[in-house]
Amino acid sequence: MKNVVPQTIKITKTNESKIGQVDFENLSFGKVFTDYMFVCDYVNGKWQTPEIVPYSPLTLDPSARVFHYGQAVFEGMKAYKDDNGDAFLFRPDENFKRINKSSARLAMPEFPEDYFFNGLNTLLKLEDQWIKPGFGNSLYIRPFAIATQASVSASEADEYKFLIICSPAQSYYSGDVSVLVAEEYSRSANGGIGYAKAAGNYAAQFYPTNLAKQEGYQQIIWTDADTHQYMEEAGTMNVFFRVNDSLLTAPTSDRILDGVTRKSLIALAEKEGITVDVRPVKVSEIVEAAKDGSLKEIFGAGTAAVVSPVKAFGYSGEHYELQKQENSYADHFKKALMDIQYNKAEDPFGWRYKI
Ligand code: COI
């Protein structure tokens, strides 16, 4: 683990763990939380002594700015356990850098690196029993920061809370997903906050996604706000297209999240000599490829979703089904990634961090 230097974290122990009440075989994503949470307050221009306390509701003033102006950022990470009982994180430094990038964009204070890694390390050691071994089992970790200052004046707050909560997880999607390509709504625009993991980016997706659900699609592939002619990312994932034997994915920009899974898949593919074209992807070329049969696969990549195959997409009133491939890239890269995450394979890139 990076930068773990001795540092005070005030720990309040719980009298009784909730773990016995949890059915680990039947988890729905993000509904069950562990025994503890990490909390650190920002007041008087300074992050205060961090604490780990029993998981419990927060008390906030109704005028806290997060409720009114949405100053809130978050991350998604996972801890994995191997067959020896050792637990690992995957590229946690990327999540650390990204939450501070998101905070900076929302005029929120950056969180210190030693607080983050010490907090995470101490919290995960306390929650060790919640990290279940077995491929597909993980502990989803949600660091987040919110503006807590009591005031409805429309400017950035001067008081914040940084928290880390954890939720045991299995898969995010049950089965392959269908996606609708956006033609009207947009997720983000140039100069906006699309690259930040800001709560508001997700809130803005719910309404158009519900409309897509009414048409039988679970997610939207967002397109560029100006022309709706270029594929960008899906609701909780970056997106890859396999045309013949090459992969295509949109470049990151100020509109697109710089996904950790996305960049890991690009590195894995390149190491195997698979061409990855990182360039603007026209909706029309994907539609053409679906029609002429050269579109072999679409898959999403994200921490929660891992690698999620897309079985069909909708665009402009047409529905395009994708045939399951025998040598699916999605299956192959999902396994290659998870082998590293679960300490079943060599880690040539140095991505794994032992807790
Ligand atoms: C993640 O993959 O961690 C995400 O951000 C998805 C989340 C919105 C469920």
Side-chain angles (χ1 to χ4, degrees):
M1 174 75 63
K2 278 219 156 141
N3 294 308
V4 177
V5 288
Q7 181 217 346
T8 314
I9 298 180
K10 193 174 161 231
I11 300 177
T12 308
K13 286 279 181 77
T14 172
N15 293 332
E16 206 183 342
S17 172
K18 298 176 293 195
I19 200 164
Q21 300 159 24
V22 177
D23 178 0
F24 282 90
E25 301 304 313
N26 293 296
L27 293 165
S28 6
F29 184 85
K31 296 231 164 91
V32 171
F33 292 90
T34 57
D35 291 323
Y36 292 99
M37 62 188 192
F38 171 90
V39 190
C40 188
D41 289 322
Y42 183 87
V43 266
N44 299 326
K46 217 169 134 255
W47 289 103
Q48 306 295 306
T49 303
E51 289 193 49
I52 290 179
V53 295
Y55 186 93
S56 53
L58 301 174
T59 303
L60 293 181
D61 193 284
S63 71
R65 290 192 190 188
V66 64
F67 298 136
H68 305 275
Y69 306 118
Q71 262 188 303
V73 296
F74 72 94
E75 268 306 317
M77 312 168 68
K78 278 178 177 170
Y80 311 88
K81 199 169 257 179
D82 70 9
D83 297 336
N84 298 324
D86 290 325
F88 299 89
L89 291 170
F90 184 71
R91 308 186 77 178
D93 43 335
E94 294 291 335
N95 301 94
F96 170 72
K97 280 188 264 172
R98 194 171 59 189
I99 198 163
N100 277 344
K101 212 170 148 191
S102 303
S103 290
R105 180 61 182 84
L106 271 82
M108 297 168 69
E110 294 187 3
F111 198 59
E113 189 170 13
D114 54 343
Y115 280 38
F116 182 80
F117 282 101
N118 269 292
L120 208 46
N121 197 42
T122 312
L123 181 66
L124 292 175
K125 286 212 157 94
L126 279 171
E127 308 285 33
D128 181 67
Q129 292 309 306
W130 291 81
I131 312 171
K132 296 293 177 197
F135 231 42
N137 293 328
S138 65
L139 187 66
Y140 185 77
I141 304 162
R142 174 54 67 88
F144 65 108
I146 53 170
T148 52
Q149 188 194 1
S151 165
V152 293
S153 158
S155 58
E156 80 272 20
D158 59 17
E159 290 177 9
Y160 295 87
K161 256 186 203 305
F162 189 103
L163 298 102
I164 307 176
I165 55 175
C166 305
S167 173
Q170 291 169 307
S171 59
Y172 189 81
Y173 293 108
S174 46
D176 297 359
V177 293
S178 299
V179 295
L180 186 64
V181 178
E183 290 177 81
E184 181 184 354
Y185 294 98
S186 299
R187 175 183 173 275
S188 62
N190 291 335
I193 61 168
Y195 69 87
K197 231 166 153 56
N201 280 335
Y202 294 78
Q205 298 186 143
F206 297 153
Y207 174 70
T209 304
N210 284 344
L211 297 180
K213 283 181 182 160
Q214 287 166 17
E215 292 182 48
Y217 298 95
Q218 285 109 314
Q219 281 218 11
I220 291 179
I221 295 187
W222 299 101
T223 50
D224 68 294
D226 286 344
T227 67
H228 294 293
Q229 282 181 24
Y230 292 91
M231 303 280 198
E232 301 220 306
E233 66 174 277
T236 63
M237 326 183 275
N238 295 107
V239 195
F240 287 82
F241 303 89
R242 174 182 168 191
V243 177
N244 292 320
D245 288 334
S246 299
L247 285 171
L248 277 176
T249 193
T252 53
S253 65
D254 55 0
R255 302 185 305 273
I256 299 183
L257 192 83
D258 185 9
V260 181
T261 310
R262 171 189 177 279
K263 66 173 92 170
S264 305
L265 294 190
I266 293 173
L268 285 172
E270 284 175 345
K271 186 163 176 289
E272 291 187 23
I274 292 172
T275 308
V276 186
D277 270 344
V278 180
R279 61 158 175 83
V281 181
K282 278 201 123 179
V283 177
S284 57
E285 70 181 296
I286 297 303
V287 168
E288 280 313 306
K291 286 183 182 159
D292 71 22
S294 57
L295 180 68
K296 305 291 182 205
E297 289 176 77
I298 304 178
F299 51 90
T303 299
V306 196
V307 177
S308 281
V310 169
K311 64 173 183 225
F313 73 96
Y315 178 65
S316 215
E318 299 291 328
H319 181 79
Y320 302 88
E321 297 273 347
L322 293 166
Q323 298 303 316
K324 185 83 193 155
Q325 298 295 308
E326 236 171 62
N327 297 310
S328 145
Y329 279 10
D331 293 349
H332 171 73
F333 287 118
K334 183 173 183 179
K335 181 166 184 318
L337 187 71
M338 289 174 73
D339 279 346
I340 296 177
Q341 291 169 334
Y342 287 82
N343 193 24
K344 283 183 182 293
E346 287 298 306
D347 177 20
F349 301 98
W351 288 337
R352 212 163 36 218
Y353 284 85
K354 193 160 187 283
I355 295 161

